[in-house]
Amino acid sequence: MRVDVDGDLGTEQRYLAGLYARLDAERARAGAEHTAALAGDGERAMDRDVRVRATARRMRQLDVADHGLCFGRLDAQDGERRYVGRIGLRDEHDEPVLIDWRAPAARPFYTATGAHPEGMRRRRQFHTRARRLVGITDEVLGRPGEPGTDDHGDAALLAAVNAPRGEGMRDIVATIQAEQDEIIRLDHPGVTVIEGGPGTGKTVVALHRVAYLLYTQRERMERHGVLVVGPNPAFLRHIGRVLPSLGESDVVVTTPGDLVPGRHVTAEDPPAAAVAKGSLAILDVLAAAVADHQRLPAEPVALELSDVVVRLDAATAGWAREEARASGRPHNEARAVFTEIVTYVLTERAASRVARGWVTRDDRDAWADLTRDLADELHADAAFTAALDALWPVLTPEGLLAGLYADPDRLRAAGALPALFRSTGDAWTVADVPLLDELVDLLGRDPAVTREQERAAQAAEAREAAYAAGVMEILTLDREELDEDLGVTVDDLTHAGVLAERFDERDTRDLVERAAADRDWTYRHVVVDEAQELSEMDWRVLMRRCPSRSFTVVGDLAQRRSPAGARSWDAVLDRYVPERWAYRSLTINYRTPAEIMAVAAAVLAGFAREVTPPESVRASGVRPWALRVTDDELPAAIAAFVRDEDGREGTSVVIGPPGTPGAVPPSGTKGLEFDAVLVVDPDRILAEGPRGAAELYVALTRATQRLGVLHRGPLPAALAGLAPAPEPLRSCAGGHRRAGAG
């Protein structure tokens, strides 16, 4: 059973003080190592960069450990004591004095119960404020059935879920529950799906799983990092502090609209266009759109060389097109094959006419010289280049897609639905991002740009080598001086290239900066939150970013609002990881009080009767309310709610249909939580969009303490049991109105 303990406060406070002293010493040592790494001490630039990043990471881990360094103790049945905390610490004899929460030895802190004590006899939880211990709660294990041994009555947990919300999500490292811990530590190399209703903690569990994987598989994961994909920028800001608070920073956090570097897209398509773009059928449209730019001349194109006129006809272009397509290269790279075939045919024709009477094909060298000269003349001819550009142009993803959308004829030729037409072709939407990404592979790089980049890189290397060679010529230092100044002996400098590496300025961007800017970067692990909203094309992008197919997928099919989103997990994943994905569900609602969840459950039953709502771990004692207002009364009622919440600790939000003044649409609150929520015009939320009921379900389940509803039209039947509004709000509505009354 759980009991509050005061007698051991002094003893445990002294132990904590010792841990903080060791933390401070570790921090000072890490700072010194970081300073030395920055100085270089004769290291190669690449080696120095690795050491700088490693010491910087250690400094970050130590910095975040100040808050909640140690949050509990395990007493084993054999007398061993294990202190559990945010990071691991060892004493001067290399003995553990604090166990990292992710270590196997710490697991019983989260999973031991009265029925299954896992070799433990007591779990002690520390309640701290800064570095001061303010309380201790003990739980005696091994006594199943006693009061206080249930899985969800944890005092620390209830204190955490009842605390006012701040500006972002907090880590749950001190209050992880058994069902959450099982998922966090799940040893599964493929895709892990975490499904749970509102408030079950699926997002924070996924983030702690990332921290756990980075702890247990750091060598494998740290060179490529982790990608976290969330539904919108507000969500990313909300979760932004969780991983840093756990000492992990090699994580790229983005939205589906930002997956193509250089693009930040938030606009959404109408349902019909979103469905068309999200379906894998769009791949045929894109392929046809590319093929539509591989054309044949309607009439032969006359090309005047110095001694002869040759014609590029449809038969020649057709043969060249067939060979270029058969090469399997992307469109822009296949242009070289197209050009090669056309050049061969035209130069052979020209040579046959120019050489008449003085050279034949039997004279191979002369014939080769002649055709080479003719090819050079052809490639220098502006008319020939123009013909190539007309028949096989170099294309960009943006140019091709914008041109497709804005041209009804091209859409028809590609077999696309009319819903894809828009007059401004480059008015990008989130659903366009996976199409742009797909076109990068379909089109390939512009060979001319690639050659220029290669030439620039070669020139830079040549300059560095020349500089190093010059340094070697003028060096007058003796061997000891050279070794001391450059960290290398004269014998090591076998050629200028070795010395050039000493002066080479490597890419100094950190992993997150490099990965976010590189479309071809691949990650070791990907977390996808609100995954039910992703289309089939979105999943293609993400699978491309993680060839190892190591994913944590977080979602709730009942909350799907996107018409192009997932209807089942197997339909999404069996295509990529058949028999390599595991499903886990979370069933306990740690966020939403029972009073609010009862209201939301009534809405859920109306559109997903087969889904069981999560069980709330607590009640708030505050009934949700409703108030009917007129158009004129609505602004004052909203203002009264905002004023009332401004006087309370915590956060609040007004949620309403798109376009409601002062309100956020439900889609903008996905994954977020607030102490108080005011939902405006629920009937309009239900009526708007193909998934209005899911939108309303999301809106109702954002609150952790208080929920109110303002409605101008009839109150939806599922909300009929709401209580009357508080007096200040009823006064704003022109008198004492009853909930739902006219």
Side-chain angles (χ1 to χ4, degrees):
M1 62 183 297
R2 293 183 177 87
V3 294
D4 292 332
V5 180
D6 293 326
D8 290 347
L9 270 176
T11 301
E12 298 291 25
Q13 177 65 67
R14 286 190 291 275
Y15 193 89
L16 260 63
L19 292 178
Y20 276 109
R22 190 159 298 281
L23 174 69
D24 292 338
E26 284 278 330
R27 185 181 289 129
R29 180 164 57 250
E33 291 176 353
H34 185 64
T35 300
L38 289 171
D41 296 332
E43 288 180 301
R44 294 178 56 180
M46 183 176 295
D47 296 334
R48 183 177 67 248
D49 187 47
V50 169
R51 198 154 70 96
V52 166
R53 290 176 182 169
T55 54
R57 182 187 304 113
R58 181 58 176 165
M59 289 175 64
R60 288 192 297 268
Q61 290 171 337
L62 295 171
D63 285 341
V64 301
D66 246 326
H67 174 68
L69 173 63
C70 177
F71 42 78
R73 190 183 93 187
L74 282 169
D75 294 353
Q77 292 173 356
D78 62 4
E80 178 194 9
R81 289 182 177 179
R82 307 174 191 172
Y83 286 85
V84 179
R86 193 170 290 274
I87 63 171
L89 292 174
R90 291 179 174 272
D91 64 15
E92 60 275 10
H93 305 296
D94 202 34
E95 293 296 324
V97 291
L98 183 65
I99 298 173
D100 191 299
W101 67 274
R102 295 167 288 191
R107 183 166 191 173
F109 186 80
Y110 303 110
T111 59
T113 64
H116 302 285
E118 300 187 28
M120 300 294 124
R121 64 179 179 84
R122 177 167 60 184
R123 172 168 43 223
R124 170 167 286 184
Q125 294 175 323
F126 296 153
H127 313 296
T128 59
R129 186 173 298 120
R131 294 190 172 195
R132 186 166 64 91
L133 183 63
V134 297
I136 298 173
T137 302
D138 275 358
E139 180 183 0
V140 179
L141 302 170
R143 299 179 183 177
E146 287 196 6
T149 59
D150 60 285
D151 289 337
H152 311 306
D154 188 341
L157 170 66
L158 291 176
V161 297
N162 279 311
R165 264 46 186 176
E167 292 303 316
M169 180 179 284
R170 297 166 296 192
D171 67 65
I172 58 169
V173 63
T175 58
I176 294 170
Q177 299 301 290
E179 72 167 1
Q180 298 172 329
D181 186 81
E182 188 271 334
I183 296 172
I184 290 170
R185 299 174 193 264
L186 183 65
D187 183 16
H188 181 69
V191 176
T192 299
V193 176
I194 307 173
E195 183 162 30
T200 53
K202 53 188 179 293
T203 295
V204 74
V205 166
L207 296 176
H208 282 67
R209 176 166 168 77
V210 169
Y212 175 78
L213 292 174
L214 285 168
Y215 175 81
T216 58
Q217 304 177 29
R218 187 168 302 280
E219 184 175 348
R220 185 181 76 86
M221 298 183 71
E222 68 179 354
R223 291 181 63 85
H224 288 260
V226 174
L227 175 66
V228 175
V229 181
N232 52 56
F235 174 84
L236 300 186
R237 290 191 295 272
H238 181 63
I239 69 169
R241 69 179 64 177
V242 174
L243 285 169
S245 76
L246 298 171
E248 304 297 349
S249 57
D250 290 339
V251 178
V252 175
V253 184
T254 190
T255 70
D258 296 314
L259 282 171
V260 172
R263 292 262 164 239
H264 175 64
V265 184
T266 58
E268 295 189 1
D269 279 295
V275 170
K277 293 177 183 180
S279 168
L280 292 179
I282 198 69
L283 294 173
D284 293 334
V285 173
L286 296 179
V290 173
D292 189 45
H293 286 79
Q294 302 164 355
R295 299 192 162 186
L296 306 180
E299 298 291 338
V301 179
L303 301 169
E304 296 185 12
L305 303 180
S306 56
D307 297 316
V308 68
V309 175
V310 292
R311 286 176 171 76
L312 173 54
D313 54 27
T316 299
W319 178 32
R321 182 172 71 176
E322 182 180 341
E323 292 294 327
R325 289 176 174 174
S327 71
R329 301 182 189 178
H331 169 86
N332 289 333
E333 297 169 24
R335 174 178 162 120
V337 178
F338 182 85
T339 302
E340 180 183 1
I341 299 297
V342 169
T343 300
Y344 168 77
V345 173
L346 296 183
T347 54
E348 286 291 319
R349 289 177 182 171
S352 297
R353 295 165 60 185
V354 171
R356 215 172 269 165
W358 64 274
V359 66
T360 67
R361 286 187 176 85
D362 293 336
D363 189 349
R364 295 184 178 180
D365 292 341
W367 189 268
D369 290 341
L370 176 59
T371 55
R372 184 168 51 251
D373 291 342
L374 288 169
D376 291 343
E377 186 178 355
L378 194 62
H379 290 163
D381 183 48
F384 180 66
T385 301
L388 291 178
D389 290 342
L391 301 178
W392 199 286
V394 173
L395 300 172
T396 65
E398 293 81 1
L400 182 140
L401 201 57
L404 176 68
Y405 289 154
D407 189 333
D409 292 336
R410 285 193 181 276
L411 285 171
R412 279 192 296 271
L417 295 175
L420 296 188
F421 172 79
R422 65 186 182 214
S423 56
T424 305
D426 59 356
W428 304 118
T429 65
V430 173
D432 291 325
V433 172
L435 277 60
L436 292 169
D437 191 75
E438 190 74 31
L439 285 168
V440 171
D441 286 346
L442 283 176
L443 298 179
R445 305 293 194 262
D446 181 347
V449 174
T450 301
R451 286 194 298 271
E452 183 60 32
Q453 291 172 338
E454 291 174 351
R455 283 194 292 267
Q458 291 169 356
E461 290 176 4
R463 287 194 299 270
E464 291 167 359
Y467 174 74
V471 171
M472 290 185 67
E473 287 182 8
I474 63 174
L475 279 174
T476 58
L477 299 173
D478 62 25
R479 289 173 180 258
E480 291 183 358
E481 292 173 320
L482 188 60
D483 182 44
E484 179 180 349
D485 290 352
L486 293 180
V488 63
T489 66
V490 173
D491 292 336
D492 290 331
L493 299 177
T494 54
H495 56 78
V498 175
L499 184 59
E501 288 187 354
R502 300 286 164 173
F503 296 95
D504 186 16
E505 290 298 324
R506 302 289 180 181
D507 189 344
T508 58
R509 296 175 299 170
D510 64 22
L511 181 144
V512 171
E513 293 174 310
R514 288 182 288 127
D518 186 354
R519 181 263 175 187
D520 295 323
W521 190 277
T522 57
Y523 297 88
R524 283 291 181 263
H525 191 76
V526 176
V527 176
V528 188
D529 209 324
E530 300 294 343
Q532 73 277 355
E533 307 297 346
L534 269 60
S535 70
E536 293 175 329
M537 287 299 294
D538 289 323
W539 283 106
R540 276 181 67 87
V541 177
L542 295 177
M543 292 295 172
R544 196 177 288 129
R545 299 293 192 271
C546 187
S548 65
R549 303 292 195 261
S550 178
F551 279 72
T552 298
V553 175
V554 182
D556 179 10
L557 295 175
Q559 294 187 58
R560 178 180 61 85
R561 58 175 293 273
S562 170
R567 287 169 170 76
S568 70
W569 299 120
D570 53 358
V572 169
L573 298 173
D574 283 349
R575 180 186 307 277
Y576 301 103
V577 285
E579 301 181 0
R580 276 195 62 217
W581 64 277
Y583 177 88
R584 295 293 185 274
S585 63
L586 292 169
T587 60
I588 305 301
N589 189 329
Y590 301 99
R591 176 180 69 211
T592 315
E595 296 89 344
I596 296 176
M597 198 60 217
V599 176
V603 174
L604 178 67
F607 71 95
R609 189 173 297 276
E610 73 285 359
V611 177
T612 301
E615 175 191 353
S616 293
V617 75
R618 66 192 173 97
S620 67
V622 180
R623 288 186 62 191
W625 54 264
L627 178 66
R628 186 165 190 171
V629 295
T630 65
D631 291 347
D632 293 339
E633 293 166 344
L634 180 62
I638 293 176
F641 167 83
V642 173
R643 279 195 307 272
D644 182 57
E645 291 301 328
D646 283 345
R648 301 173 185 259
E649 190 178 5
T651 61
S652 63
V653 69
V654 179
I655 304 176
T660 303
V664 179
S667 60
T669 64
K670 292 295 288 289
L672 308 184
E673 57 183 30
F674 307 87
D675 290 272
V677 171
L678 179 67
V679 177
V680 177
D681 289 336
D683 54 321
R684 286 182 52 205
I685 295 176
L686 281 173
E688 291 197 18
R691 296 283 295 175
E695 295 269 49
L696 181 57
Y697 181 60
V698 168
L700 295 171
T701 54
R702 299 307 94 193
T704 66
Q705 302 291 344
R706 300 174 296 281
L707 172 67
V709 173
L710 294 177
H711 59 108
R712 288 176 286 184
L715 192 66
L719 307 182
L722 295 177
E727 170 56 32
L729 284 158
R730 295 206 304 272
S731 298
C732 292
H736 297 273
R737 296 175 179 266
R738 298 181 62 186

